[in-house]
Amino acid sequence: MTTKVLLVDDNQTFISSLRLFLGMLPDMEVVGEAHNGLEAVNLAGRLQPDLALLDIAMPEMNGLEVARRLQSLPRPPNIVFLSIHDDEDYRTAASSLGATAYVSKADFVTELFPIMTRMAGDKPEGARLN
């Protein structure tokens, strides 16, 4: 079963890197990308991704508020925060919002790979990740 992924970051270079990274993983499909928080909420409602890779600091609406709003969707996606802000307050806020993980952008390849492969491997046919 393919995991549908929504990429959310205001940095196009970083999104391009994520696309390349996810392209190397089996059963991962990028279904959309958003460059601000408002766009992320709208796309998630339409595309119903299984997973949102979400930045914290973005225009229009920060990632924490996006995560809060995504939780109200009928089928909320799993959320993995990717941020340059490796801060305990952000980690605590992400955890309180039910985030699957909080990953530093500086180490995203080494930290994200085991998370993504575990999520893909643990996902039974026809089931959501959460």
Side-chain angles (χ1 to χ4, degrees):
M1 179 82 180
T2 300
T3 300
K4 299 185 307 182
V5 183
L6 174 63
L7 306 179
V8 184
D9 199 298
D10 58 328
N11 183 321
Q12 184 59 50
T13 301
F14 188 71
I15 282 187
S16 295
S17 296
L18 279 174
R19 276 188 177 277
L20 286 172
F21 170 76
L22 293 173
M24 294 185 286
L25 300 176
D27 301 323
M28 296 287 161
E29 176 189 4
V30 175
V31 293
E33 61 181 62
H35 304 283
N36 66 58
L38 187 57
E39 186 180 14
V41 172
N42 291 333
L43 276 177
R46 270 199 350 242
L47 300 174
Q48 298 182 9
D50 300 305
L51 173 65
L53 297 179
L54 185 58
D55 188 18
I56 294 276
M58 292 182 296
E60 303 291 330
M61 181 186 312
N62 72 40
L64 297 172
E65 181 59 28
V66 170
R68 216 174 268 109
R69 292 188 186 199
L70 294 183
Q71 293 308 314
S72 69
L73 293 174
R75 293 179 57 205
N78 279 301
I79 295 171
V80 172
F81 282 102
L82 297 167
S83 183
I84 59 169
H85 303 287
D86 196 5
D87 176 279
E88 192 57 39
D89 289 338
Y90 281 133
R91 287 182 179 276
T92 300
S95 178
S96 73
L97 291 166
T100 300
Y102 190 101
V103 173
S104 168
K105 281 185 177 180
D107 302 317
F108 88 92
V109 172
T110 57
E111 290 184 29
L112 193 56
F113 181 76
I115 293 166
M116 299 299 286
T117 54
R118 178 186 52 81
M119 292 173 86
D122 289 347
K123 185 178 177 188
E125 187 70 25
R128 305 278 304 161
L129 292 172
N130 49 350

